[in-house]
Amino acid sequence: MSKRVVLVWFRNDLRLHDNEVLIEAINKSDLIIPVYCFDPRYFHKNKFQQNNTGIKRAQFLLESVAQLKSKLQGMDSDLMTFVGKPEDILPVLCAKYEVGEVFHHREVASRETQISEAVEAELWENKINLRHFIGHTLFHKEDLPFPIKDIPDKFNIFRKKIERESTVRNPLDAPSNILSPQHLENTAIPSLKELGYSDEEIASLGDQGFEGGEDIGIEKLKNLLDPNYEGLNNFSLVSPYIAIGALSPIYVYHQMQNSSLSQNKKRYERLMTMLLWRDYFRFMLKKYPNVFFKLNGIETEEKNTEQINEELVLNWKTANTGQEAVDETIQTLLSTGNITYAERRLISKYFTQELDSNWLAGASFFEEHLLDFAPATTYGFWSHMASVGTSPKENTCADWQDLAKRLYVSK
């Protein structure tokens, strides 16, 4: 009797803890083949001539993949890594290792969805099923008190209803053992140069202060949940790990509940709010496909310009606006890849109020440089800064000058 082989296609779920795809694969198969593809589409420039993945996030990704690979190797398994399109790579692996089914976490943004569809079509040519799982949110879709089409657009109503009528599932334990076929082919994690980055870009990388990987993410979370911690006590300390899937939001939530963070209710509330916003953005992108990538969002009238004032946008991107708070924040983003949400509001609101330019170009700048870039969250955030987001109240925001004053007071 032949053994059942499942290929686990890792994407933005680079962890062992609370990984439903991995646990289901273990339960439903005899052998597992873990695979990660460095898709070249993520290492090209977009129409705004921004990198889809800036070098700091690329390095963070490489470190996260490397740690997962090391942990799997410690279980006598491995993470096979390839540079190429998954729709080209996965069918070949399935044929080579007699794979019966491929498991992966479903994404919601258009580019990621199109990649899944391309993989599904290629696999089905060989009668291999691509099984989808939903494991990127705090609340599972099946546990929501409303169907996706009826999710309230207003964030506060969404929050109140979901907190009152839904519960967060318990996190799944990390597996202690994974059976994989013997003699998986040896694969190496690519270098930054192999991903297309120049020597000049690599030399400019520096020390960003964030090392990728599940273990590092868990340690950062412990720091954040310590009520005596006096460092960067903001969601952005752990959001890069959540975005790349090195930390599960469900795991983060339960660690919050089991910690002493109740001694610092303000920090607890801030963390919970950000976890819920993250869910809201993902569910809204499911309710209104691609809405956060549209210039005017769900609005029927044209509110924003497609034009770009090249000089003003360049000054903004290079921290040469002449506005101290704005320029300092841009410099921090460029040097570290990580800024607080108060700082994000400041520089995005300055962009939408002062530059008379397509706000999608500003969001694209965030896409390149933020370590915690996630399509729904980043573009959902920007759509509200541009006053075309799905939650009406959040389409209004203080002028950037007021935001700058508050930022300096808080510092």
Side-chain angles (χ1 to χ4, degrees):
M1 184 176 178
S2 61
K3 292 186 176 181
R4 183 160 190 254
V5 182
V6 168
L7 187 151
V8 175
W9 173 25
F10 282 90
R11 299 178 81 184
N12 294 314
D13 49 3
L14 300 174
R15 63 180 184 270
L16 296 182
H17 75 271
D18 194 41
N19 193 321
E20 186 180 3
V21 167
L22 192 55
I23 297 302
E24 277 296 299
I26 290 171
N27 292 336
K28 298 292 175 62
S29 68
D30 301 302
L31 297 171
I32 291 174
I33 300 177
V35 176
Y36 184 87
C37 298
F38 290 89
D39 191 329
R41 285 168 290 211
Y42 289 97
F43 302 97
H44 291 165
K45 289 187 181 295
N46 60 28
K47 66 180 182 179
F48 298 111
Q49 293 306 300
Q50 297 286 154
N51 289 323
N52 288 326
T53 304
I55 192 164
K56 287 183 171 58
R57 193 165 83 253
Q59 177 66 18
F60 186 74
L61 170 63
L62 290 174
E63 292 166 352
S64 299
V65 172
Q67 188 176 105
L68 178 60
K69 184 177 179 70
S70 176
K71 295 177 84 166
L72 287 169
Q73 288 174 337
M75 297 179 175
D76 293 325
S77 180
D78 198 359
L79 178 65
M80 300 175 72
T81 54
F82 302 90
V83 177
K85 296 178 180 179
E87 63 266 32
D88 296 333
I89 293 167
L90 299 183
V92 174
L93 292 175
C94 288
K96 180 175 181 178
Y97 292 100
E98 298 182 337
V99 170
E101 200 168 14
V102 176
F103 288 7
H104 85 126
H105 273 120
R106 185 191 294 274
E107 292 284 356
V108 293
S110 57
R111 178 174 54 196
E112 288 68 28
T113 300
Q114 289 165 7
I115 292 171
S116 292
E117 290 172 349
V119 170
E120 191 166 29
E122 290 297 324
L123 290 175
W124 194 242
E125 288 289 321
N126 296 309
K127 299 297 185 287
I128 296 172
N129 180 53
L130 176 63
R131 186 172 172 191
H132 307 276
F133 291 82
I134 303 170
H136 290 305
T137 50
L138 179 61
F139 291 91
H140 272 243
K141 183 185 74 170
E142 293 82 357
D143 300 335
L144 296 178
F146 28 60
I148 294 293
K149 65 181 180 63
D150 295 329
I151 292 178
D153 289 351
K154 295 180 180 177
F155 172 73
N156 285 335
I157 295 177
F158 166 84
R159 175 175 188 163
K160 289 175 183 177
K161 196 167 180 63
I162 207 172
E163 287 186 322
R164 186 172 60 245
E165 300 181 32
S166 299
T167 56
V168 178
R169 297 184 182 186
N170 290 321
L172 301 168
D173 292 333
S176 57
N177 185 47
I178 295 175
L179 294 176
S180 293
Q182 295 298 308
H183 311 301
L184 287 175
E185 64 181 280
N186 291 323
T187 59
I189 294 175
S191 66
L192 288 168
K193 191 152 191 175
E194 288 170 324
L195 292 178
Y197 296 95
S198 67
D199 291 336
E200 184 180 5
E201 288 175 305
I202 295 169
S204 70
L205 189 57
D207 181 12
Q208 62 198 34
F210 281 83
E211 182 183 349
E214 178 179 10
D215 293 345
I216 306 295
I218 290 173
E219 193 60 35
K220 293 267 190 184
L221 178 63
K222 288 179 182 177
N223 291 338
L224 186 58
L225 298 184
D226 182 347
N228 298 316
Y229 177 64
E230 296 181 352
L232 181 63
N233 59 352
N234 190 281
F235 182 69
S236 55
L237 182 67
V238 294
S239 56
Y241 300 92
I242 297 175
I244 207 167
L247 276 178
S248 153
I250 292 175
Y251 176 84
V252 171
Y253 172 83
H254 282 285
Q255 290 299 305
M256 288 169 59
Q257 305 308 306
N258 297 329
S259 73
S260 301
L261 196 62
S262 58
Q263 299 173 29
N264 191 325
K265 292 184 178 180
K266 186 175 181 180
R267 193 192 304 173
Y268 177 92
E269 178 68 15
R270 185 162 54 234
L271 284 173
M272 194 66 210
T273 297
M274 295 311 301
L275 287 175
L276 288 169
W277 265 112
R278 185 176 173 277
D279 267 24
Y280 171 83
F281 286 137
R282 291 186 70 92
F283 289 132
M284 281 293 107
L285 208 53
K286 189 69 175 174
K287 180 179 179 180
Y288 300 114
N290 211 35
V291 66
F292 296 141
F293 305 95
K294 297 177 180 178
L295 187 63
N296 295 297
I298 58 173
E299 300 290 335
T300 54
E301 61 181 276
E302 293 186 7
K303 286 192 171 184
N304 293 300
T305 179
E306 292 186 6
Q307 303 303 311
I308 295 178
N309 187 316
E310 300 286 355
E311 181 180 358
L312 293 181
V313 171
L314 179 61
N315 288 340
W316 180 83
K317 293 196 296 187
T318 56
N320 287 301
T321 68
Q323 300 296 332
E324 183 180 6
V326 174
D327 291 343
E328 285 183 359
T329 302
I330 292 284
Q331 288 170 350
T332 301
L333 174 58
L334 291 172
S335 62
T336 68
N338 191 269
I339 54 176
T340 67
Y341 273 81
E343 291 170 324
R344 296 177 202 205
R345 280 191 289 275
L346 166 64
I347 59 177
S348 59
K349 206 60 186 177
Y350 179 87
F351 186 104
T352 58
Q353 289 180 335
E354 299 291 342
L355 303 193
D356 190 29
S357 296
N358 187 334
W359 66 267
L360 290 166
S364 176
F365 180 76
F366 272 31
E367 178 174 356
E368 174 173 349
H369 293 289
L370 280 176
L371 287 178
D372 67 359
F373 168 74
T377 305
T378 303
Y379 281 83
F381 169 84
W382 265 89
S383 71
H384 285 93
M385 293 300 99
S387 302
V388 293
T390 49
S391 183
K393 183 179 179 181
E394 281 67 36
N395 281 331
T396 58
C397 177
D399 289 343
W400 70 266
Q401 294 96 333
D402 292 334
L403 294 173
K405 290 175 185 176
R406 292 180 201 172
L407 193 59
Y408 274 114
V409 167
S410 67
K411 289 182 177 181

